Amino acid sequence: MTATSTLTGGSLFRKFAPLAIPLILQSIFAALVGATDAIMLGMLNQSSLTAVTLATQIPSIFAMFISSLCTGGTVLIAQYFGDKDYNGVRKVMNITLQISLISGTLICLVCILAPETLIGIYTADPELQKIGADYIRMVGPSLLFMSFSQVYMNVMKNTGMARASSIFGFITVFLNIGLNYIFIFGAFGIKGMGAAGAALSTSICFLAEAILTGIMSRRNKYAPVHIKDLFRSYRPMMRKYFRYTLPNVVQGTSWMVASSLCVAIIGHQGNDLVSASSVCIIVMNIVSGFITGYASASGIITGQMLGRKELADAKRAGGFLIRWCLIYGIIIGIIVVLLTPAICGLYTGLTDEAQHLLKIMLWFAGFRCIGKFINAFLAIGLFSAGGDIIYLAKLDIINMWGIVLPLGVLAAYVFKLPPIVVYIVLNLDEYYKLYFMIARYRKYDWVKNLTRKEWGLVSRFEDSIRKQTFERMNSGFLFIGSSGRISMANPACAALLGKEVDDINGSMYMDIFIRSMETEHDAAGYELSDLILEAVSNKTEPVNRVITLMSGGVPKRIRVCTSFIEEEDYKIGVFVMLNEA
């Protein structure tokens, strides 16, 4: 861990920009897939636009579940990747895929078998229910395809393949535009299907995306997908996985369900409000694409710093990036307000009342951008990178279920306020929690490394074990992970090697046992290095051997004993015990 940070704004930008730009583009492309659906359906008629806006709440809830699962997995993947523990990366990826594929199969079946029940939650209008049910039934398969492609594209972002994932997003957008035109309006001998055509186009696009990511997974040397690995048990890793993903999934899914109920409240305020809200949601989704890409890149950069134990650099990087959040939030908000006339002009099919409501919503959206940018950056970026997600879960649950929904119900059904006022009350959620998010950021509880307990010991006992047993041992003792990095070394070990404990902990064993050895005893250094390498790489049984090492310029006969530590059927590290012979 670095005591002080040498990170500068320029050096951070050089690391951040190559990662952030592809992720921002990918997120925007994903938002544009939904936007093209809405734009073309808006050209068709207002009823189709309104019905699909309500119907997409179901896939949106599942998409949020997958996104939350991926965000939670990113907490571990980024840090394992930063620590060069690729075995850990693969385990987290496979656990995420197992959960997402099972969930995707179940929700796909529900959408196909009971679409009328689902759309009935959001509207009582028979025409909207029929259109919405057709859309949900046809979009169901896309959720199964999404459960693979979105998870693996998240892995690609974290393993140096962000550019490829953004290219896939680019392909998906243009494929969706072409298929939407064909299936919504009818072309090349195919009869126009309206809203159901938009759903069919979405399903085909996600199928194509799943095929592309499946092909790319075979080329990822850090995290390839193997079918047999999806049927394995990862029980020891599951405990750590759920510790960092479950709060995030609960928080994200709870937020989306509450948000969906807000849409249901709006859905009962009249079709004009729903239609105008549909367009505003599209605009905010595109804005959110930029925000999510920026936040995701921030989380990966800071997560890898934390994984490398560069805690001071991670803290400084967070400070740089949050200042730019405020600037970008203001700029994007102004752009949304300035583009209001052009956006309204795209939706000539809306009634005059819906057009009027849309203008007010877009002006309000410009103001909302600032709070949304800062909150998303902290939640998706810094807090998730450092595993500080239980606080996020609590805050979002309290905010949405304890403040936003009750205020919305009071505004709509008790005080019977005008529909546009109800909309604004329901969409002030970003500012209800902004103060608490910034206060949490300033406590820096998110600045911590999550991979140091790589052998799976119970974390709350680690300090007492080290102080009462490990550090008091007369024998030299150290632990070397599968990456070759020394995680723990006690004072007796440092004394035998003629070094300081702080110089050993966190170093690669090659640096300690070869590069720092005196020239005349290189052979002994290599002998010890080979012994450890064989143990770490699972090539030999534990050994007991006497070698000669230099300690403070004096040759010493040292007895070296190794012992493996395993997780499932993987040998993930080796204990080394040193004693004078």
Side-chain angles (χ1 to χ4, degrees):
M1 182 180 75
T2 55
T4 58
S5 174
T6 58
L7 188 72
T8 64
S11 64
L12 175 63
F13 181 78
R14 286 190 292 272
K15 294 179 182 178
F16 183 76
L19 177 63
I21 292 172
L23 293 187
I24 289 171
L25 290 175
Q26 180 188 332
S27 298
I28 291 175
F29 290 152
L32 286 173
V33 171
T36 55
D37 287 358
I39 291 172
M40 292 189 182
L41 289 171
M43 295 167 62
L44 189 65
N45 56 65
Q46 182 168 315
S47 294
S48 294
L49 173 62
T50 304
V52 169
T53 299
L54 298 174
T56 52
Q57 293 305 304
I58 303 303
S60 293
I61 291 173
F62 181 71
M64 176 57 75
F65 170 78
I66 294 297
S67 176
S68 300
L69 200 65
C70 290
T71 302
T74 296
V75 173
L76 295 173
I77 289 176
Q79 292 211 16
Y80 278 126
F81 191 75
D83 200 38
K84 299 184 179 178
D85 183 354
Y86 306 128
N87 186 41
V89 171
R90 289 189 292 272
K91 288 182 181 181
V92 174
M93 174 193 73
N94 287 324
I95 293 171
T96 307
L97 282 172
Q98 288 173 341
I99 297 170
S100 66
L101 288 170
I102 292 171
S103 304
T105 301
L106 293 175
I107 190 65
C108 173
L109 291 174
V110 172
C111 287
I112 293 172
L113 298 176
E116 294 84 3
T117 302
L118 296 175
I119 191 62
I121 298 171
Y122 300 98
T123 181
D125 188 305
E127 181 186 7
L128 298 184
Q129 284 187 341
K130 183 180 184 307
I131 297 172
D134 290 341
Y135 180 91
I136 291 174
R137 183 181 293 108
M138 194 69 73
V139 86
S142 72
L143 306 182
L144 177 58
F145 307 141
M146 177 198 303
S147 66
F148 173 76
S149 64
Q150 294 301 297
V151 169
Y152 197 76
M153 287 172 72
N154 179 69
V155 174
M156 291 168 65
K157 299 174 192 176
N158 285 274
T159 55
M161 302 179 71
R163 182 177 300 177
S165 66
S166 66
I167 292 173
F168 292 169
F170 182 79
I171 293 171
T172 302
V173 168
F174 281 91
L175 179 62
N176 191 62
I177 291 172
L179 293 178
N180 268 343
Y181 178 78
I182 294 172
F183 293 129
I184 291 176
F185 301 108
F188 305 110
I190 297 175
K191 184 179 178 181
M193 300 168 62
L200 177 59
S201 170
T202 300
S203 292
I204 293 174
C205 286
F206 276 112
L207 173 60
E209 190 176 80
I211 293 172
L212 287 172
T213 51
I215 294 172
M216 187 58 68
S217 75
R218 310 299 297 177
R219 301 182 181 181
N220 189 339
K221 62 181 180 180
Y222 302 114
V225 174
H226 299 292
I227 300 298
K228 63 180 182 180
D229 291 338
L230 297 178
F231 294 92
R232 294 182 56 185
S233 172
Y234 299 94
R235 188 170 298 172
M237 176 65 82
M238 291 282 274
R239 289 191 292 270
K240 175 178 277 191
Y241 179 85
F242 282 119
R243 188 187 315 156
Y244 294 108
T245 59
L246 190 58
N248 199 69
V249 170
V250 170
Q251 173 255 332
T253 307
S254 172
W255 180 88
M256 191 61 220
V257 171
S259 180
S260 184
L261 291 176
C262 291
V263 172
I265 293 174
I266 292 172
H268 289 85
Q269 300 300 303
N271 287 356
D272 286 332
L273 187 71
V274 177
S275 299
S277 174
S278 304
V279 178
C280 194
I281 287 172
I282 296 165
V283 174
M284 287 305 296
N285 284 345
I286 295 172
V287 169
S288 295
F290 182 92
I291 295 171
T292 301
Y294 182 95
S296 298
S298 303
I300 293 170
I301 288 289
T302 54
Q304 291 178 356
M305 289 177 179
L306 295 170
R308 293 191 296 266
K309 303 177 179 65
E310 299 168 356
L311 306 192
D313 279 351
K315 182 177 178 180
R316 188 169 176 82
F320 280 129
L321 294 170
I322 196 171
R323 286 193 288 273
W324 279 103
C325 274
L326 178 61
I327 296 171
Y328 287 139
I330 293 172
I331 292 173
I332 292 174
I334 292 172
I335 291 173
V336 169
V337 172
L338 293 177
L339 288 178
T340 294
I343 295 169
C344 292
L346 288 174
Y347 293 90
T348 54
L350 298 182
T351 64
D352 291 341
E353 177 62 18
Q355 287 273 357
H356 173 68
L357 293 172
L358 177 58
K359 289 179 183 178
I360 299 174
M361 290 178 182
L362 290 173
W363 294 336
F364 175 72
F367 165 71
R368 193 174 174 223
C369 283
I370 301 171
K372 188 173 185 63
F373 209 127
I374 295 174
N375 285 330
F377 164 74
L378 292 175
I380 299 172
L382 301 191
F383 293 175
S384 292
D388 190 22
I389 50 182
I390 292 179
Y391 178 81
L392 285 175
K394 291 178 180 177
L395 181 59
D396 262 349
I397 290 172
I398 292 171
N399 184 47
M400 292 301 292
W401 293 92
I403 299 176
V404 177
L405 273 174
L407 288 179
V409 171
L410 288 173
Y413 301 113
V414 177
F415 299 112
K416 300 186 184 302
L417 298 177
I420 189 63
V421 176
V422 174
Y423 174 86
I424 291 173
V425 168
L426 289 169
N427 284 275
L428 275 171
D429 55 305
E430 301 293 350
Y431 286 96
Y432 295 146
K433 66 179 182 180
L434 184 60
Y435 168 80
F436 300 99
M437 292 288 284
I438 293 175
R440 185 68 174 187
Y441 160 76
R442 289 176 174 170
K443 290 182 68 176
Y444 297 109
D445 287 348
W446 55 273
V447 183
K448 56 181 177 287
N449 175 274
L450 307 177
T451 65
R452 67 184 186 277
K453 305 170 190 66
E454 58 185 294
W455 59 93
L457 293 176
V458 181
S459 60
R460 67 179 181 271
F461 296 127
E462 184 190 67
D463 288 340
S464 62
I465 289 172
R466 181 187 293 118
K467 290 178 181 178
Q468 296 179 33
T469 305
F470 179 71
E471 293 185 355
R472 297 178 184 178
M473 291 176 64
N474 293 324
S475 299
F477 191 82
L478 68 155
F479 176 77
I480 304 174
S482 57
S483 63
R485 189 176 299 279
I486 300 171
S487 298
M488 295 175 66
N490 69 351
C493 173
L496 283 172
L497 298 176
K499 298 181 181 296
E500 297 293 329
V501 171
D502 290 342
D503 293 333
I504 299 175
N505 284 329
S507 299
M508 299 298 291
Y509 80 89
M510 291 283 289
D511 294 328
I512 298 299
F513 296 117
I514 293 183
R515 299 189 179 101
S516 63
M517 295 296 171
E518 283 79 357
T519 305
E520 61 268 26
H521 289 279
D522 275 353
Y526 278 107
E527 183 181 4
L528 178 57
S529 174
D530 289 343
L531 183 155
I532 294 172
L533 180 61
E534 289 174 354
V536 172
S537 60
N538 192 17
K539 293 182 179 178
T540 68
E541 295 299 319
V543 298
N544 186 329
R545 190 177 304 170
V546 176
I547 63 173
T548 301
L549 288 178
M550 294 296 292
S551 177
V554 178
K556 287 185 178 181
R557 297 282 289 169
I558 304 294
R559 181 173 295 280
V560 182
C561 302
T562 67
S563 178
F564 299 117
I565 189 160
E566 297 181 308
E567 184 176 283
E568 302 165 7
D569 57 345
Y570 290 104
K571 291 187 175 178
I572 62 170
V574 59
F575 288 120
V576 181
M577 186 171 290
L578 307 172
N579 285 292
E580 287 195 56

